[in-house]
């Protein structure tokens, strides 16, 4: 069965700002199905979200995350943990195929369907097919180019991933929270 593949999402928290970005490619088998998919969103002006995986599944999870944010007074970490619990135990949600990065100006979290809420090292998170390329580039820039902003690191990290990963393109969408 042919599957949709796509996405590199990268988030960096630095100097009280967060930048999260993603490429725009969706691939069906070995064909580019769409080149300008929007995989990052801003929620209630202080949280940014990025997703990888099935778009319909990602939107379902994003809606559930927004519900959890409302239920827990915009406490991002608590909302992420409660979503991960539901995702793992609910029969319907368990079948969803997506991953999410959520971030505010202080922290970044990766939420998976296996019930994981991961606080990545170095305030850098990445998901998707080109994620390890983007993460390696971002880590290197954080270490060797400390003058770069979170936005510059995300943009260049995604461009490097797009140069290497066939499932990642250069049509980038970024959100920056200051």
């Amino acid at each position: 069965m042919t599957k949709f593949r796509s996405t590199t999402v990268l988030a960096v928290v630095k100097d009280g700002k967060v930048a999260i970005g993603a490429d725009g490619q969706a691939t069906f088998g070995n064909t580019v199905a769409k080149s300008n998919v929007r995989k990052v969103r801003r929620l209630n002006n202080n949280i940014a979200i990025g997703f990888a995986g099935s778009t319909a599944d990602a939107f379902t999870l994003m809606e559930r995350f927004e519900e959890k944010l409302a239920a827990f007074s915009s406490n991002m970490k608590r909302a992420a943990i409660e979503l991960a619990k539901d995702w793992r135990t609910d029969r319907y949600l368990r079948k969803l195929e997506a991953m999410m990065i959520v971030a505010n100006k202080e922290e970044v979290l990766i939420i998976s369907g296996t019930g994981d809420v991961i606080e990545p090292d170095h305030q850098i998170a990445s998901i998707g097919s080109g994620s390890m390329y983007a993460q390696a580039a971002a880590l290197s820039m954080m270490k060797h180019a400390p003058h770069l902003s979170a936005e510059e690191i995300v943009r260049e990290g995604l461009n490097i991933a797009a140069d290497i990963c066939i499932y990642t393109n250069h049509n980038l969408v970024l959100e920056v929270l200051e």
Side-chain angles (χ1 to χ4, degrees):
M1 185 170 149
T2 305
K3 285 188 153 198
F4 274 99
R5 304 180 77 139
S6 63
T7 306
T8 300
V9 181
L10 178 63
V12 172
V13 177
K14 186 176 184 225
D15 300 329
K17 297 178 183 175
V18 65
I20 185 168
D23 74 304
Q25 184 165 301
T27 309
F28 187 69
N30 60 0
T31 304
V32 175
K34 188 169 175 143
S35 65
N36 62 349
V37 178
R38 184 172 173 80
K39 303 168 193 171
V40 295
R41 301 275 190 275
R42 187 181 290 227
L43 301 179
N44 64 15
N45 291 325
N46 61 355
I47 295 176
I49 186 170
F51 57 84
S54 164
T55 304
D57 292 353
F59 275 98
T60 299
L61 292 168
M62 190 169 56
E63 288 171 3
R64 292 285 181 111
F65 182 69
E66 285 183 291
E67 290 170 8
K68 297 296 183 188
L69 280 173
F72 295 103
S73 305
S74 295
N75 182 328
M76 186 179 79
K77 190 179 288 186
R78 180 73 191 271
I81 290 166
E82 294 301 321
L83 174 64
K85 282 184 195 174
D86 288 355
W87 196 350
R88 185 178 173 102
T89 58
D90 183 274
R91 277 188 193 188
Y92 170 72
L93 292 178
R94 214 176 327 162
K95 294 178 183 173
L96 300 182
E97 295 182 14
M99 288 185 77
M100 295 171 35
I101 293 176
V102 296
N104 60 26
K105 293 183 270 188
E106 292 84 39
E107 63 186 340
V108 60
L109 303 170
I110 299 171
I111 309 170
S112 78
T114 57
D116 296 318
V117 176
I118 301 164
E119 291 181 78
D121 294 334
H122 312 292
Q123 297 285 52
I124 297 170
S126 62
I127 57 174
S129 53
S131 65
M132 291 301 104
Y133 307 119
Q135 183 173 340
L139 283 167
S140 181
M141 285 182 271
M142 289 280 273
K143 182 176 182 179
H144 298 291
H147 62 281
L148 294 176
S149 68
E151 180 178 2
E152 291 167 319
I153 292 169
V154 168
R155 187 176 305 282
E156 190 58 27
L158 289 170
N159 277 317
I160 288 169
D163 289 341
I164 299 168
C165 178
I166 63 170
Y167 298 110
T168 304
N169 69 16
H170 288 277
N171 294 341
L172 308 180
V173 174
L174 275 76
E175 288 285 345
V176 179
L177 303 176
E178 299 187 44

